[in-house]
Structure formats: C-alpha cells, structure tokens
Amino acid sequence: MTAHPDPKHDDLADTPVAVPSAPPAGPGEPAPGRRSLVRLVVSMLVALALGAAVSLIHLPYAIMSPGPAVDVLGEQRSADGSTVARIRVAGAPTYPTAGRLDFTTVRVRGGPGYAVNVVDVLAAWLAADQDVYSVDELFPPQVTQEQVAQENRVEMTGSQQVAAAVALRAVGYDVPLVLRVTRLVDGAPATGQLQAGDVLVSIAGAPVANAEGLRAAIAAVRAGDAVELVVRRGEAQVTVHPRTGTAPDGRTYVGIALAGDYRMPVEVTIDAGDVGGPSAGLMFALGIYDKLTDGALTGAASVAGTGTIDDGGAVGPIGGIAQKMAGARQAGASVFLAPAGSCPEVRGREPDGMTVVKVATFAEARAALEAVGRSQTGALARC
C-alpha cells in the first residue's frame, strides 16, 4: 500500500490512510504541546538569569564616548531661567560674533562610582566612536568619585583664568601673573627659607613671569647649590637663599607647591555648565578674544576644537580626541582645531567632511580661525 494516491486507481485517491495516534500522556506528564511550552519558558528564564548575572559582573574598564559640543559664543540658561552669554566681559568694549566656536567633551563610563559590565564593554568595542581603557589608564589608584569631580572643577577654573589672561594679552592688555607658595613638600630643601604665603618676585635677579620660567631657572642650578629668591612676605619684600636638591625624577628642585593668581584689568566670567577639566582652555581663549575684537573671527563658520593652554599660550594635548572630533561633527562643525601633541591619536579617525587643523600655540589657532573666516584653509597645517 502506498501513502500517495495511484493515478491508475482513482478510487484509492480518496481512501483514508490510518495514522497512528500519539500515545496518551502518562500520569502527571504534560502533553507534547505543553512540554514545548515548558521548555520555551525554562529557556527564557535561563537566558534572563544569565543576562542578569552578566549585568552584575563589573569590569575594571572605562568607556569613552562622544559628549556634547558647547558653543563658547552662545548662551547659557541661568538658575533663574533667564538666558545669559556663556562668556561675559565687564570693563572693556565687546563686539558681535558670528558662527560657532565649540569646546568638545567626552562621556566616561567606568571608574570611581560608575562601574561597567560585560555588555557595556562588548558594545563599546563594536562602536566606531568609542574606546575602552583600563580604569588605571584614566584614574589614579584609590581615587574616589568626589575627588575626581573636585579635581575636574579645579582644573576647569584654572583653565578659564589662564584662557582669559592669554586672550587679554593678545588684545593688548597687561596681565601680570602672581605666583604664591601654597606649601612646602616633605623634606623640601627650601625648608626654613620659604614659607606658605610667600609671593615670588624674582629669581637670580630676573622677574618671575610664570611657573615655567621659574622651573627653568631652578633647573639651571646645580643640585645642592643655593638660589637667590626675592619674595613678598606680608607687607615686606624679603631676599632668601634656599638650597636646591634632586627630585625623584632627577631634576633640580626647591620643594614648593605653587598657585597662580592673575591681576585682571578686565572682568571675564565663563559659564561652562557641569563640564570639568582643563581641555577647553584653548577654545575659551579664542572665544574671549573674538568678543574683544571687532569682526567675527571665523566669519560664519562652525569650528570646534580642544586643547589645554598655559600662561605662555602653548596648546597642550588632551585625551579622548577621537570622541571629541566625532561629537563636533555631530554638532555640525566642519573644522576642528587639534593640539599638535594629539595628532598621533587623530590620524585615521578623522570624521568624514571635517578638516582637522594642527595647532601648537594660541597664535597659530587664532591665525587658523582667521583663515577659516576668509575661506582660505588650503595652506593650514594638518595632523
């Protein structure tokens, strides 16, 4: 007997074929359909349990992804709901600006107070605009979330002060820097000669202009020899002769910690929101300069950038530049100012449609923006 109808015997085509029925379920045993449903439910519960377990496994990694780009020429909503300029200047004439000057940021997950799990890390490895680091690469050991936040706030405040000084000097103002001893390190060679609160006036007869110059002057002294320093202590000016020593890194030092204060001829206020760290210094300086000079520095272009800035106008490298470029491109920037020292991290990760310009000083960055404003970017240095 065949299971298919024989075309020669049409009567067989409609003959029902007996199919053996499934054996009845035994006592307490679910029917086949119910067994499939039970297996499905059990599999789902196991998968959920595994997913929950994986999400609870915290890994010693930190994930860096693009953060927002913030226009320093734009406005910020104040606590009372009103809108105010992000950069405000009092005591000097200001001029209208155009276009955008964005400082760029990164978001960091992982590290103190922000643990990441396996799913987070796998997703970051697959994302083109995210990077995964060991926590130790980004944070000092044993640091707390509160300490990180406090350090970021201090660095942000310091970068704003330096940015204002650099910009004001570029406009033509005299902005002297006052260096003050905050403390002596343990075992400092200068113990007994210098003390907290001393304001440094000169070293070896030359005025103390900035911390870099002071360090260079001390480094030129043979370790163990004394150096002549003039300090202002209270209302008196005192000459001291602290001995030098050899620091753990091999350089000559006197063993003091310093803080810098500027005598600002113009009041500059910057509101960076909740952002911390020193890497917006360059863009703050450019924004202040743009407001204090006639004509829009960039024309109407949208420019972003990053980089620390020191008292001499040097632009320093920063971390997360790939993420900052990605965030800038998402915000519409067509030109990005990158610190020369960060160029190795730039190459190969430039977003499509973005011109990345290499700058080492405030003067170079200002000249680059002026070229952007004239639509003459062809000769600008690239990373």
Side-chain angles (χ1 to χ4, degrees):
M1 180 177 179
T2 178
H4 299 281
D6 187 339
K8 296 181 181 180
H9 300 88
D10 291 340
D11 59 322
L12 294 179
D14 295 325
T15 302
V17 178
V19 178
S21 60
E29 182 181 348
R34 292 184 61 194
R35 284 200 297 270
S36 298
L37 179 61
V38 169
R39 283 196 295 269
L40 177 61
V41 171
V42 170
S43 298
M44 291 177 64
L45 291 174
V46 171
L48 289 172
L50 288 174
V54 166
S55 68
L56 292 175
I57 299 174
H58 294 161
L59 300 178
Y61 294 107
I63 299 168
M64 194 174 288
S65 59
V70 182
D71 182 14
V72 300
L73 302 177
E75 296 181 328
Q76 169 82 356
R77 189 170 298 278
S78 61
D80 62 4
S82 61
T83 301
V84 296
R86 194 172 293 280
I87 295 176
R88 301 184 294 280
V89 178
T94 59
Y95 301 89
T97 61
R100 289 177 61 99
L101 274 177
D102 291 348
F103 74 82
T104 47
T105 64
V106 296
R107 289 192 173 98
V108 178
R109 290 178 294 154
Y114 298 100
V116 295
N117 57 40
V118 175
V119 175
D120 296 326
V121 172
L122 290 176
W125 273 330
L126 295 174
D129 60 355
Q130 298 184 33
D131 286 324
V132 179
Y133 298 86
S134 166
V135 168
D136 294 340
E137 292 181 75
L138 300 184
F139 301 98
Q142 308 302 321
V143 71
T144 67
Q145 180 182 343
E146 292 74 18
Q147 289 171 330
V148 171
Q150 174 63 19
E151 182 178 356
N152 284 338
R153 286 191 294 269
V154 170
E155 289 179 334
M156 171 58 77
T157 300
S159 73
Q160 292 176 354
Q161 293 176 345
V162 176
V166 170
L168 288 170
R169 288 172 183 157
V171 174
Y173 288 97
D174 179 30
V175 187
L177 171 65
V178 177
L179 283 179
R180 185 182 68 257
V181 178
T182 57
R183 64 181 178 86
L184 275 69
V185 302
D186 292 341
T191 300
Q193 291 286 314
L194 291 171
Q195 57 187 253
D198 285 348
V199 174
L200 300 174
V201 177
S202 68
I203 178 168
V208 175
N210 51 51
E212 291 74 22
L214 176 68
R215 293 190 188 99
I218 293 173
V221 177
R222 185 175 60 183
D225 290 348
V227 61
E228 181 180 279
L229 280 169
V230 176
V231 301
R232 190 169 65 250
R233 184 173 295 166
E235 300 298 322
Q237 191 159 287
V238 181
T239 300
V240 294
H241 297 85
R243 291 210 165 270
T244 59
T246 303
D249 60 4
R251 62 185 174 85
T252 302
Y253 83 128
V254 295
I256 54 176
L258 300 172
D261 295 318
Y262 290 98
R263 295 175 181 169
M264 295 287 187
V266 172
E267 182 181 350
V268 178
T269 304
I270 304 174
D271 190 339
D274 295 330
V275 180
S279 65
L282 171 63
M283 302 311 290
F284 287 145
L286 292 169
I288 296 166
Y289 180 86
D290 198 2
K291 282 181 170 287
L292 289 170
T293 52
D294 193 10
L297 190 56
T298 67
S302 178
V303 178
T306 187
T308 64
I309 195 163
D310 69 14
D311 183 70
V315 177
I318 49 80
I321 195 164
Q323 288 71 41
K324 291 181 177 182
M325 291 190 299
R329 193 70 187 106
Q330 292 167 12
S334 57
V335 176
F336 190 92
L337 303 181
S342 294
C343 280
E345 288 75 42
V346 167
R347 298 184 186 107
R349 304 196 68 173
E350 305 94 328
D352 292 338
M354 175 174 279
T355 299
V356 182
V357 179
K358 176 177 67 173
V359 295
T361 65
F362 172 80
E364 289 182 5
R366 184 184 67 191
L369 291 187
E370 291 169 346
V372 170
R374 297 190 302 267
S375 299
Q376 297 175 348
T377 60
L380 294 176
R382 313 293 174 89
C383 277

